[in-house]
Amino acid sequence: MRTDGHVRNLASNRRFRHLLAVRLTSQAADGMFQASLALSVFFNPALGEASDPFRYAAAVAILLGPYSLLGPYVGTVLDRFSRRNLIGGANLARAALMIVICLTLPGGFNWSWVLCAMVVLAANRFVLAGLGAAHPQVVPAKDLVTANSLASTLGALAYGLGLATTGIAKLLDSGVSYSMLALAAGCGYLASAFIVGASFRRADLGPPVDDEAATGLWRGIAQTSSGMWEGFKHLGRRKGPALVMAVQGLHRFLYGIVFIIAIALFMGFFWDVESDPTRTTTISWLLVLAILGNVGVLAAAIATPRATRVWGPKNWIVVLMALCAVVVAALSGTMKPVMFAVAVLLVNIASQGLKITVDTSIQRGVEDAYRGRVFSVNDTIYNVGYLAGLFAAAFVVPENGYAPGTLVGVALSYGLICVGYAYLARDEAPYDAQTWSPAATEARPTTSQ
């Protein structure tokens, strides 16, 4: 598919450029804040030495729990209030909360900055979802697919740049404190809020004025909850999407286990306190892992459309799960930092390739009347599976993270998923690859990202 003409159209579209600027400043700030938050939790002497897998799991769960739970309900809010105001207001609130975090973070563990961080991360759901929902308001339908792809890719790069900026600042021992890094992120949120407020009028990004108050907010939330159950029941009649969603939920559970093992290893078993008392090497490796994870996501976005056309989506899922099984098995036999770096790249290719295939299976294999509700069910399975994996690992992984036996169990589990899915889905592909095209203009029927 040629996209150069679409890119030229978007480059000349002033409203799209402004909306993209809102995304890039916001996501760059996200990268800076989340990197400074992770470093402050695991490497801040004021918070004590981080050496407990349960602490790693709890830190992720506390901060991402509200973000995950909000997922199915974000669309309800975005379809009833001005998206321009919600995006701007969320970023203004995050900028203000950065001040509280900057003042309380240096004093050690304090629920004030923990709660503020939770709100900041939860608000990110509204910002990213609002930006995605606003694209049809500023981009012609013929350019929409390219706009979505371009915005997501550049947003991921901006987020990675924010991560790298924070990591390099700490590696160079520049004297910049965690509080100052968080404050810099606040400036990014403030800039994003200013751009959206100055570039668009209240109704420019939707929803249509006549639709804003179609139903009350609380009624909409109640309808979303009941709709998720209806979507779950509908999956009983759509075996193809249901099976691949189950595979993704199990993958996210195992992914959470491997994540905890990796963090614990780099914080414990791989750390040589005598040669690296300040953990410079540890921070360097974690920065490398974060960058390779983003590279894997981008690689999957490039490879998956072609792979599903050549092999078919069902076989692509089998290949990805087999890849995870082989990679994790190799980790259990080597337990070397460089192998974990390679594994992060490959497992993230598998994870994102699986996600793309699941999304497409819902778009193509679920009736339009149920599609949004099924996406809500999928978002919940995706996040709950990951959180469950984090806490499962916390109970079986030792403090130094050296758990080759657990990795063997994970590898065997991936193998069982691979074989089980290949058998159960032998007559139920996720979707018909012959009718799917990466140029399809049908947008994802949910505003969550």
Side-chain angles (χ1 to χ4, degrees), residues 109-178:
F109 184 85
N110 186 307
W111 279 106
S112 297
W113 67 261
V114 172
L115 291 173
C116 288
M118 291 169 66
V119 174
V120 169
L121 293 174
N124 191 44
R125 193 79 170 184
F126 286 94
V127 174
L128 292 181
L131 289 169
H135 274 172
Q137 306 296 326
V138 301
V139 175
K142 61 185 179 65
D143 296 326
L144 194 55
V145 173
T146 303
N148 290 333
S149 176
L150 187 64
S152 297
T153 302
L154 293 180
L157 292 175
Y159 176 80
L161 181 62
L163 286 175
T165 299
T166 299
I168 292 172
K170 298 307 297 182
L171 285 176
L172 297 178
D173 196 21
S174 60
V176 178
S177 67
Y178 299 113

Side-chain angles (χ1 to χ4, degrees), residues 82-232:
S82 166
R83 292 170 191 152
R84 175 257 201 182
N85 290 352
L86 285 172
I87 294 169
N91 277 329
L92 279 177
R94 295 203 285 179
L97 290 172
M98 287 298 109
I99 298 175
V100 179
I101 293 174
C102 291
L103 294 175
T104 56
L105 188 58
F109 184 85
N110 186 307
W111 279 106
S112 297
W113 67 261
V114 172
L115 291 173
C116 288
M118 291 169 66
V119 174
V120 169
L121 293 174
N124 191 44
R125 193 79 170 184
F126 286 94
V127 174
L128 292 181
L131 289 169
H135 274 172
Q137 306 296 326
V138 301
V139 175
K142 61 185 179 65
D143 296 326
L144 194 55
V145 173
T146 303
N148 290 333
S149 176
L150 187 64
S152 297
T153 302
L154 293 180
L157 292 175
Y159 176 80
L161 181 62
L163 286 175
T165 299
T166 299
I168 292 172
K170 298 307 297 182
L171 285 176
L172 297 178
D173 196 21
S174 60
V176 178
S177 67
Y178 299 113
S179 296
M180 293 303 296
L181 291 170
L183 186 61
C187 294
Y189 293 136
L190 190 62
S192 182
F194 174 79
I195 294 171
V196 74
S199 303
F200 302 99
R201 294 190 298 270
R202 180 180 181 277
D204 281 354
L205 303 182
V209 176
D210 292 341
D211 295 342
E212 287 185 16
T215 60
L217 175 61
W218 294 113
R219 183 180 176 186
I221 291 175
Q223 290 173 342
T224 300
S225 299
S226 62
M228 288 178 64
W229 175 244
E230 293 296 326
F232 185 80

Side-chain angles (χ1 to χ4, degrees), residues 2-48:
R2 294 182 59 83
T3 61
D4 48 350
H6 297 293
V7 172
R8 284 196 298 270
N9 292 340
L10 294 172
S12 62
N13 185 331
R14 179 178 58 85
R15 285 156 57 86
F16 174 75
R17 294 199 308 269
H18 289 166
L19 195 65
L20 183 62
V22 175
R23 177 186 289 272
L24 297 183
T25 50
S26 180
Q27 291 201 246
D30 285 336
M32 294 185 68
F33 171 65
Q34 292 179 29
S36 63
L37 187 64
L39 290 172
S40 66
V41 169
F42 296 128
F43 300 99
N44 190 347
L47 300 181

